[in-house]
Amino acid sequence: MTASSERCMSPPHFARLSLPGLCLSAWCSKPRSEDPHPWLRVSLGTPQYILFVATQGSENNENKSFVLSYYLGYVDVDDGKWKKYKENGKLKVDNFVI
């Protein structure tokens, strides 16, 4: 896993569901003022079919952190180009209401 940035004690490999035993249990990018377009890249090594994506925020009670919206991107195995995931021809963006 790689990322555009990370906050102290929140590296990209923390971007896993239910990561046990850590005071900070999530990857967190730097603030928007320092990283206006944060991203997290997960390399699966070989082409895979992805059936679903799940997200969760940090379980740190002092500083709860979570994403409010995101889109998925992938590298097309045919042309090697980075593309944004679309459904019915429209960019698929997941938004969360708190």
Side-chain angles (χ1 to χ4, degrees), residues 4 7-8 14-15 34 36 38 48 52 62 65 70 73 79-80 82 93:
S4 57
R7 288 189 192 190
C8 179
F14 279 17
E34 297 176 46
Q48 303 287 323
F52 63 90
E62 294 175 16
S65 299
Y70 67 91
D79 62 17
W82 181 259
V93 178

Side-chain angles (χ1 to χ4, degrees), residues 3-94:
S4 57
S5 66
E6 66 184 70
R7 288 189 192 190
C8 179
M9 297 178 54
S10 298
H13 67 270
F14 279 17
R16 296 181 177 354
L17 292 177
S18 302
L19 191 62
L22 299 170
C23 61
L24 295 174
S25 57
W27 163 71
C28 295
S29 66
K30 288 185 177 180
R32 286 277 186 181
S33 60
E34 297 176 46
D35 186 1
H37 304 288
W39 53 263
L40 176 69
R41 178 178 295 149
V42 178
S43 176
L44 301 175
T46 60
Q48 303 287 323
Y49 286 101
I50 306 300
L51 301 177
F52 63 90
V53 174
T55 60
Q56 77 181 37
S58 171
E59 294 178 8
N60 179 350
N61 289 330
E62 294 175 16
N63 297 308
K64 290 193 181 284
S65 299
F66 44 88
V67 67
L68 295 175
S69 68
Y70 67 91
Y71 67 87
L72 298 175
Y74 63 96
V75 174
D76 188 305
V77 295
D78 294 326
D79 62 17
K81 294 182 180 178
W82 181 259
K83 298 184 178 177
K84 294 177 182 176
Y85 177 70
K86 295 180 180 182
E87 287 185 1
N88 300 319
K90 294 183 179 179
L91 181 63
K92 171 71 171 154
V93 178
D94 286 319

